């Protein structure tokens, strides 16, 4: 264990307490709040009638029972999303009333078999429901816009939908406990002019933003890249892998981002060995819990301001 005090870093419940309940359900968010999450995170995609709902992808066969519903079989489709061909059922092809008839399922039944007993219990929540829950329980909300360039290409303006929904909930003032995150650049730049809410540029370990061909996430992590991000965002949300295995090196990376004027949030800490950095795995079962607390303490040591986790109940 590191001999350093655990500094205050916000606990961001990644899709809710998704290590213990099917992700993106009110049950997952409620449990996360009980467990002490500071923020709850919904990924957002729109319905056919323009309502944002909490799902990680617009293709929903992995997290709902839609593939078992004969009345929707004919809506199976193949689409190209951010340059990748995807086959399944897409939120933008269903009205909210239709989506509300579905029930959520555990995304990782083989890794998290203990969660399968919750399959079929919970509907897909709207963003408004998740935001209202956060407001009622006095925690923050950390929405992510998924694939805004794709949705713009089919005539759906998801940044506008998000800002309108936040306004509707009274979560649009500078002091609201809200971070808006996106992997794309254009929507963040546009929202900078429209809202005082905090904006977060997500940075993956590889590739680049879907809306800026040729731009690489690796370049965003250079000093010049970080300074550029700071012109339109308040924080970076970076893949933990970008910090590497050496805590001193990781601390230097975090310090460079902070020197550019950015807060640093990292994703995603999960308790199962398969998802933990190698140094924190325990035993040979990839699905058994590893040293989550040790990994959390390292995030503290390196100075990050927030950590996305599937397991807020495990935070030391
Ligand atoms: O939003 C931070 C992190 O959640 C990004 O990855 O794929 O889990 O949305 P993803
Ligand atoms: Ca996310």
């Amino acid at each position: 264990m590191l001999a350093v005090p655990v500094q205050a870093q916000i606990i961001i419940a990644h899709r809710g307490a998704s290590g213990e309940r099917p992700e993106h359900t009110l049950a997952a968010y409620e449990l996360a709040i009980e467990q002490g999450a500071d923020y709850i995170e919904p990924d957002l995609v729109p319905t056919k009638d323009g309502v944002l709902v909490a799902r990680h992808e617009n293709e929903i066969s992995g997290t709902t029972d839609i593939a078992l519903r004969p009345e929707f079989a004919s809506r199976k489709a193949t689409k190209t999303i951010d340059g990748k061909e995807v086959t399944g059922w897409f939120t933008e092809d269903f009205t909210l009333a239709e989506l509300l008839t579905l029930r959520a399922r555990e995304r990782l039944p083989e890794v998290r078999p203990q969660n399968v007993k919750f399959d079929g219990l919970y509907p897909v929540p709207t963003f408004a429901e998740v935001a209202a829950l956060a407001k009622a329980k006095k925690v923050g909300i950390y929405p992510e816009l998924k694939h805004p360039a794709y949705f713009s290409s089919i005539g759906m303006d998801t940044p506008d939908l998000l800002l309108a929904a936040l306004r509707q909930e009274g979560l649009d003032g500078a002091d609201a406990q809200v971070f808006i995150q996106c992997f794309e650049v254009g929507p963040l730049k546009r929202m900078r002019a429209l809202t005082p809410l905090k904006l977060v540029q997500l940075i993956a370990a590889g590739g680049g933003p879907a809306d800026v061909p040729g731009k690489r996430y690796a370049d965003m992590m250079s000093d010049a890249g970080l300074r550029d991000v700071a012109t339109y965002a308040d924080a970076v949300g970076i893949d933990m892998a970008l910090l590497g295995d050496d805590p001193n090196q990781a601390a230097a990376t975090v310090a460079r981002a902070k020197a550019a004027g950015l807060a640093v949030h990292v994703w995603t800490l999960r308790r199962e060995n398969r998802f933990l950095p190698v140094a924190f795995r325990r035993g040979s079962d990839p699905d058994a819990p590893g040293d989550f607390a040790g990994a959390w303490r390292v995030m503290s040591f390196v100075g990050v301001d927030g950590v996305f986790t599937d397991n807020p109940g495990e935070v030391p």
Side-chain angles (χ1 to χ4, degrees):
M1 185 187 298
L2 283 163
V4 293
V6 173
Q7 78 166 43
Q9 54 196 1
I10 58 169
I11 302 169
I12 307 157
H14 183 246
R15 316 179 193 173
S18 55
E20 297 184 64
R21 296 289 184 278
E23 68 183 47
H24 288 124
T25 59
L26 290 182
Y29 292 119
E30 283 161 359
L31 180 59
I33 294 166
E34 280 168 30
Q35 293 175 335
D38 299 301
Y39 283 76
I40 53 176
E41 192 232 9
D43 299 315
L44 299 176
V45 290
T47 63
K48 186 176 187 174
D49 41 353
V51 180
L52 291 175
V53 294
R55 288 290 97 188
H56 184 261
E57 302 91 12
N58 49 331
E59 197 290 298
I60 51 174
S61 61
T63 62
T64 72
D65 59 0
I66 196 155
L68 306 174
R69 304 290 292 271
E71 69 271 37
F72 297 134
S74 65
R75 286 196 228 173
K76 190 172 186 182
T78 297
K79 305 190 184 198
T80 302
I81 314 289
D82 297 348
K84 289 191 196 112
E85 202 169 86
V86 183
T87 297
W89 290 263
F90 296 83
T91 57
E92 66 269 25
D93 296 332
F94 293 84
T95 63
L96 177 63
E98 289 171 330
L99 270 189
L100 290 178
T101 69
L102 304 178
R103 289 295 175 268
R105 296 168 72 85
E106 169 58 45
R107 176 191 291 276
L108 304 170
E110 282 157 21
V111 178
R112 296 168 171 167
Q114 71 278 8
N115 296 352
V116 172
K117 62 179 177 286
F118 301 110
D119 283 3
L121 297 183
Y122 311 122
V124 173
T126 63
F127 173 62
E129 288 177 303
V130 182
L133 174 67
K135 203 166 76 169
K137 300 289 187 179
K138 301 191 186 333
V139 299
I141 190 150
Y142 205 127
E144 179 185 350
L145 286 172
K146 287 293 187 190
H147 313 301
Y150 163 74
F151 286 115
S152 175
S153 78
I154 59 168
M156 305 189 89
D157 187 333
T158 54
D160 263 11
L161 291 175
L162 174 59
L163 295 180
L166 287 165
R167 204 159 41 241
Q168 187 75 28
E169 294 297 325
L171 292 169
D172 55 340
D175 57 349
Q177 252 186 296
V178 179
F179 286 97
I180 297 175
Q181 47 169 339
C182 194
F183 279 107
E184 295 179 16
V185 174
L188 291 170
K189 287 187 172 174
R190 192 172 130 224
M191 285 189 286
R192 181 71 301 157
L194 300 174
T195 177
L197 295 171
K198 291 187 260 332
L199 304 178
V200 182
Q201 174 69 62
L202 295 175
I203 300 181
D211 65 326
V212 190
K215 192 174 183 77
R216 314 310 299 164
Y217 286 124
D219 297 333
M220 284 188 188
M221 290 301 292
S222 69
D223 288 345
L226 289 164
R227 280 195 300 273
D228 180 54
V229 171
T231 63
Y232 62 87
D234 303 284
V236 281
I238 65 178
D239 185 335
M240 215 164 41
L242 282 165
L243 294 182
D245 295 330
D246 174 358
N248 293 315
Q249 191 62 42
T253 301
V254 172
R256 286 196 302 106
K258 290 189 175 187
L262 295 159
V264 179
H265 299 164
V266 299
W267 43 275
T268 299
L269 205 48
R270 302 171 166 107
R271 70 178 165 193
E272 293 90 356
N273 279 318
R274 68 170 67 237
F275 300 120
L276 283 165
V278 173
F280 299 98
R281 295 178 191 169
R282 297 293 177 262
S284 56
D285 179 354
D287 301 328
D291 183 10
F292 178 98
W296 184 272
R297 287 193 186 91
V298 167
M299 290 302 113
S300 246
F301 170 77
V302 306
V304 303
D305 303 289
V307 180
F308 289 80
T309 178
D310 289 9
N311 304 97
E314 304 281 329
V315 172

